[in-house]
Amino acid sequence: MKKEINDLRKSLIDNRPSEQINIMEVCGTHTMAISRNGLRQILPEEINLISGPGCPVCVTSSKDINWIIGIIRDYPVTLFTFGDMIRVPGSISSLQLEKASGKDIRICYSPLDALDFAKNNPERDVVFLGIGFETTIPLSSVIVKRAYEENINNFYIFNIHKLVPPALELLLLDEEIKIDGFLCPGHVSAIIGSLPYNFIADKYRIPCVISGFEPLDILESLNMLMKQYNSKIPEVQIQYRRVVTSNGNPTAVSIIDEIFEPCDSYWRGIGVLPKTGLKLREEYMSLDAMKKFPVEVTDSKEPPGCQCGSVLKGIIKPFDCKLFSRVCKPENPIGPCMVSSEGSCAAYYKYERLR
Ligand code: SF4
């Protein structure tokens, strides 16, 4: 393996561009893999890896966290959430603090846990916190469909799912960032396939490679990106062929489309991005926790000094935030990028701070 890594590294050095270019690793799992394996440090300095907005916990706004906290404070519900969300601070509290104060908040590994609980406890209203990109949306869609068809009328979804490809287009239109290539997410692409990224190469002339998560995958993907960049023939290539196809998983895409429709969505530190979110279609609206449990959500401030928005857009690196490692640490996270197991700040703190 050492030899393969050295060969791929040498090839990157041989094919490096004449000026510094920015390659965005969109997905938080890639950021973690790059940091954990010290890949940033072995690249030629002309290849600058910047992190993108592909960590669902990190892009969840304070407003949405305040909103779900408002629901569990005002209504006697049981909330099911994935573990990473529990420590993310809103501007008034966090789910962890609410749990400590006695609210019924449970960590689940699958949305099916929430649905099963609702079935077995018909007297209790159950809310599932639906978060994540195209990777997790199919399962949320399945439980919404099942709850609806099985008439489980005490189950609701607090839906803050987001979509990756339209968010990438908005990053390309942002004048604050210059992106020369995308290392596209492997898990999301297993669902949607490679075709939804074609506009990036066709319209914006930016190379894309869908990459796996092992060090060899990432180095090979970077080599593929360099070849495209140097040839000036951008396209969407799949390096992660053992999992990703052009068409993705049509069954999963179809159930998403059956249950949800696109809507605007607020991304933490970035703002409202048109058509990057999903809302329940009219038929399933009775399962919408936001409608069923109305609350007043007024405060949506980000933590003072936190620059998660700029980190998530690749404008700055976590080291550039003044709070990084001085005030903001995993045991005292100020922003979500330090909380999440896929957050850039957490990756840099854990693996790159001392390098
Ligand atoms: S280091 Fe902390 S405060 Fe700074 S951007 Fe990252 S999460 Fe936010």
Side-chain angles (χ1 to χ4, degrees):
M1 171 121 126
K2 201 168 171 193
K3 179 177 178 320
E4 282 107 324
I5 286 186
N6 277 337
D7 289 348
L8 287 166
R9 181 181 177 228
K10 184 169 176 312
S11 170
L12 278 175
I13 292 169
D14 292 344
N15 293 307
R16 66 189 186 275
S18 53
E19 68 288 326
Q20 191 180 65
I21 63 168
N22 294 325
I23 303 292
M24 176 173 277
E25 88 267 1
V26 175
C27 165
T29 314
H30 278 141
T31 303
M32 272 290 165
I34 288 163
S35 293
R36 185 169 53 245
N37 294 292
L39 299 185
R40 217 178 302 280
Q41 286 74 24
I42 65 167
L43 298 180
E45 62 185 26
E46 290 84 356
I47 301 175
N48 184 35
L49 292 182
I50 56 175
S51 302
C55 157
V57 170
C58 304
V59 295
T60 299
S61 69
S62 284
K63 181 180 176 187
D64 285 333
I65 294 169
N66 292 347
W67 196 334
I68 189 70
I69 287 171
I71 289 176
I72 56 177
R73 281 185 177 178
D74 289 359
Y75 299 90
V77 302
T78 297
L79 176 72
F80 279 81
T81 175
F82 294 127
D84 266 6
M85 276 304 291
I86 198 139
R87 293 180 61 227
V88 180
S91 53
I92 52 171
S93 179
S94 69
L95 293 178
Q96 190 171 43
L97 289 173
E98 295 302 308
K99 185 174 168 60
S101 75
K103 298 291 181 293
D104 189 4
I105 299 172
R106 303 178 187 218
I107 292 173
C108 61
Y109 299 96
S110 161
L112 290 169
D113 299 342
L115 191 64
D116 286 343
F117 183 88
K119 272 190 206 173
N120 295 329
N121 299 274
E123 76 293 346
R124 184 82 180 163
D125 283 335
V126 175
V127 175
F128 170 66
L129 178 47
I131 178 178
F133 301 120
E134 289 88 339
T135 327
T136 51
I137 303 170
L139 205 43
S140 291
S141 307
V142 166
I143 59 161
V144 167
K145 190 172 158 87
R146 278 181 52 182
Y148 180 79
E149 288 179 350
E150 294 175 27
N151 209 14
I152 302 169
N153 54 19
N154 60 328
F155 175 85
Y156 304 91
I157 182 169
F158 186 88
N159 161 50
I160 45 175
H161 286 300
K162 291 180 168 45
L163 302 171
V164 169
L168 300 188
E169 177 158 34
L170 292 158
L171 287 179
L172 289 169
L173 294 171
D174 191 323
E175 290 177 357
E176 277 190 283
I177 340 150
K178 175 178 160 288
I179 298 169
D180 300 293
F182 281 115
L183 209 55
C184 295
H187 297 141
V188 163
S189 307
I191 302 297
I192 63 174
S194 66
L195 299 180
Y197 304 104
N198 277 355
F199 73 92
I200 298 175
D202 297 345
K203 183 172 166 191
Y204 295 96
R205 313 296 300 156
I206 300 292
C208 295
V209 174
I210 298 167
S211 177
F213 297 95
E214 298 301 323
L216 285 175
D217 291 327
I218 295 170
L219 291 175
E220 188 184 357
S221 299
L222 289 173
N223 271 287
M224 292 162 78
L225 280 171
M226 279 312 100
K227 280 194 189 128
Q228 287 192 46
Y229 184 82
N230 291 333
S231 69
K232 301 196 178 356
I233 307 176
E235 57 180 317
V236 180
Q237 289 181 296
I238 305 171
Q239 182 278 335
Y240 199 24
R241 287 216 165 266
R242 55 194 189 275
V243 173
V244 178
T245 61
S246 302
N247 291 317
N249 181 332
T251 309
V253 171
S254 152
I255 181 115
I256 294 174
D257 192 46
E258 184 182 337
I259 305 297
F260 293 104
E261 60 184 309
C263 66
D264 299 348
S265 178
Y266 189 94
W267 296 57
R268 183 185 280 246
I270 300 176
V272 176
L273 300 184
K275 306 283 179 210
T276 59
L278 288 173
K279 63 178 182 181
L280 289 167
R281 290 191 182 276
E282 194 57 42
E283 189 179 355
Y284 302 100
M285 207 48 105
S286 59
L287 283 82
D288 188 343
M290 294 174 184
K291 292 240 169 355
K292 172 71 182 175
F293 306 108
V295 291
E296 204 169 315
V297 188
T298 49
D299 189 355
S300 60
K301 290 193 194 94
E302 303 299 336
C306 174
Q307 291 186 271
C308 277
S310 296
V311 170
L312 292 163
K313 290 205 290 187
I315 296 170
I316 65 166
K317 299 220 167 155
F319 295 139
D320 301 321
C321 171
K322 287 194 174 65
L323 304 185
F324 179 83
S325 134
R326 295 184 185 93
V327 181
C328 183
K329 305 175 181 190
E331 62 273 21
N332 177 42
I334 305 297
C337 297
M338 189 60 90
V339 176
S340 169
S341 59
E342 296 189 344
S344 300
C345 299
Y348 276 68
Y349 187 91
K350 191 167 180 189
Y351 298 114
E352 303 205 35
R353 183 171 46 108
L354 302 177
R355 277 192 193 129

